[in-house]
Structure formats: C-alpha cells, structure tokens
Amino acid sequence: MNADGRDDFIWYESAGTLRVALSNGSTFSSSSRWSSTAFTTSYGVWVADVTGDGKSDIVYRYYTVSGGCPLSCPPVVYLWGRVRRSDGATFLAATTWY
C-alpha cells in the first residue's frame, strides 16, 4: 500500500471504511483507518497499482439508480469504475475512471 515492496494487510470495517496494517517484513504495524469516508459496493473491490506509482490503489464498481417509474418499468442503472488512489498513508477521494 505504501510502495515499500512489502505485502500489507487491508480490510473493511463494519462502517464501510478501509483499514490498513503495513508490513515491515516480519510483522504488521497497528492498523489505521485509510479511508476518509465510507463507501460500499456489491460488485467487488480490488487492490491494484492503477496509477503506476508503486502504491496499491483501491478499484471498485460504483452504481446509481435513477428513474422513479412504477414497478413495471425497470430503473436505469449507471455503473462506473471508481479508483481511490493511495498516497502511502491514506486513500484519496474517489475518482471515476470510466
């Protein structure tokens, strides 16, 4: 997560925020909250260096539903790919990538 070449540990808290415990090569540090706001998705979350800076970023699908039509009319669902880039100490605000 912080570009030091070691595998770090990341997980969701119940509130939908992300916590990270950095590795020093033999143990993990105390965890800290890396997300400033909660986010949820039912489409999965991936960790990848999508910016090429050596830091692992969070990649996930985000959706919104629009249209107040009756039950016989399906709602319109908009899907986007979102990325929350790592700066080595936190995940920055979400950016829509497509």
Side-chain angles (χ1 to χ4, degrees):
M1 305 310 293
N2 61 353
D4 66 359
R6 297 182 179 114
D7 292 327
D8 304 310
F9 190 64
I10 182 172
W11 70 95
Y12 284 110
E13 286 187 305
S14 60
T17 58
L18 296 170
R19 291 188 74 86
V20 174
L22 299 175
S23 172
N24 68 11
S26 59
T27 62
F28 291 104
S29 67
S30 297
S31 69
S32 62
R33 185 178 290 175
W34 273 39
S35 61
S36 57
T37 58
F39 73 96
T40 58
T41 179
S42 59
Y43 292 101
V45 175
W46 298 269
V47 177
D49 178 12
V50 297
T51 59
D53 63 359
K55 298 179 188 84
S56 297
D57 308 300
I58 298 297
V59 181
Y60 64 101
R61 298 283 285 169
Y62 174 79
Y63 70 95
T64 60
V65 179
S66 67
C69 54
L71 295 177
S72 61
C73 172
V76 177
V77 177
Y78 299 96
L79 295 169
W80 297 282
R82 305 292 298 268
V83 172
R84 292 188 69 169
R85 295 178 292 131
S86 169
D87 68 1
T90 190
F91 293 111
L92 304 175
T95 303
T96 300
W97 280 49
Y98 68 88

